[in-house]
Amino acid sequence: MRTAYHDALGDHFAGHAETSPYNAYTDRPAMLALAGDVSGARVLDVGCGAGHYAAELVARGAQVVGVDGSATLLGHARARVGGRAELLLHDLEEPLGFAADASFDGALCALVYEHVRDRARLLGELRRVLRPGGWLLVSTTHPTADWQHFGGSYFSHDWRDLPLGDSGLSIHYQRLPLETFLGELLAAGFVLEHLAEPRPTAELREVDEAAYDRLHRAPSFLTVRLRRP
C-alpha cells in the first residue's frame, strides 16, 4: 500500500501518536468511547499502525486482529502488544482474504480511510467479515480542517501531502467532503448510528493548554459508528 507509513515515516508516526494532542488526546479517546464495551468481542483493527488501539482494545477484553500495510509500523505494534493480538502485514487495497465471512463482531478504522484508493472494495470486504449487527468505527480528517489548511474548493477530492511539523516527512491522503465520506459508507450498506466531531479530553489542558484551546475552537477529526444490518 503506497500510502502506508513506511520506514522513517512509520518510526516518526509511532512516536508521535504516543503523545500527540491529535492522536492520544482526541481521536483515540473518541474512537474508544464509540467502541464501548468490547469484552469478549472479536475486533478487526484496520490499519492498526503502531498498535495503540489494539493495545487498548485488548486491555478492555477484546480479541484483536490488526492489519497494516507497513512492516515498520507492525514492528512497533508487535513491540507494544506482544502476543496478545494477531498482527498481519496486509495491503488494504486488496481483499481481506485471511478473514472468513461474518467472523468479526466489530471493526475499527482510525485515520486510515482517507489513505485508501479502492474504498468501495474495502467497505465491501468489511461488510462481508462483520457479523449481522456488527459495528464499524471510522475516523477521518475533518473536511473543514482540510479546507482551511489547503484552501481551494471545499468539495475538492484531490490528493494532498500534509507535512508533519519540521520533520521533513509528510502523509499522503485524499480530501473527502462530508457528503462523500458518509455517502460511501451508506452506499456500502452500513447504517449510521452516531457521528461526532471529537474535542480533546480534559487531560490535554494540563499537558498543552494551547493545543487544548485550539482543538476546542475548530474540528480536526470526524468519527462515526455504523452498524452492519
Side-chain angles (χ1 to χ4, degrees), residues 1-14 16-17 23 47-50 68-76 89 110-115 141 162 164 169-173:
M1 183 173 169
R2 287 184 296 165
T3 56
Y5 298 176
H6 300 289
D7 304 322
L9 179 57
D11 290 333
H12 176 86
F13 178 78
H16 175 81
N23 299 93
C48 64
D68 202 278
S70 165
T72 305
L73 281 175
L74 277 180
H76 288 282
L89 181 64
L111 302 179
V112 174
Y113 189 76
E114 63 274 14
H115 296 280
T141 57
L162 180 68
L164 299 179
L169 302 166
S170 62
I171 58 175
H172 189 63
Y173 67 95

Side-chain angles (χ1 to χ4, degrees), residues 56-188:
E56 290 282 354
L57 292 167
V58 166
R60 296 169 189 220
Q63 303 169 31
V64 177
V65 176
V67 297
D68 202 278
S70 165
T72 305
L73 281 175
L74 277 180
H76 288 282
R78 291 189 177 108
R80 175 167 285 103
V81 181
R84 296 176 295 151
E86 183 181 358
L87 300 174
L88 306 172
L89 181 64
H90 181 78
D91 186 342
L92 294 179
E93 303 291 353
E94 300 297 328
L96 305 176
F98 59 87
D101 294 359
S103 56
F104 288 94
D105 300 298
L108 176 145
C109 186
L111 302 179
V112 174
Y113 189 76
E114 63 274 14
H115 296 280
V116 178
R117 293 182 181 273
D118 196 349
R119 293 186 296 272
R121 175 155 66 179
L122 175 61
L123 290 173
E125 281 291 277
L126 290 174
R127 195 176 192 278
R128 177 183 69 80
V129 304
L130 285 170
R131 63 168 175 78
W135 48 266
L136 171 63
L137 310 183
V138 183
S139 64
T140 189
T141 57
H142 200 289
T144 60
D146 285 336
W147 184 32
Q148 287 184 326
H149 183 82
F150 294 116
S153 170
Y154 166 83
F155 297 102
S156 172
H157 289 75
D158 59 353
W159 285 80
R160 291 289 186 135
D161 292 298
L162 180 68
L164 299 179
D166 58 1
S167 67
L169 302 166
S170 62
I171 58 175
H172 189 63
Y173 67 95
Q174 188 176 20
R175 292 173 60 176
L176 299 175
L178 180 60
E179 67 180 14
T180 299
F181 175 64
L182 286 181
E184 291 178 355
L185 296 166
L186 298 178

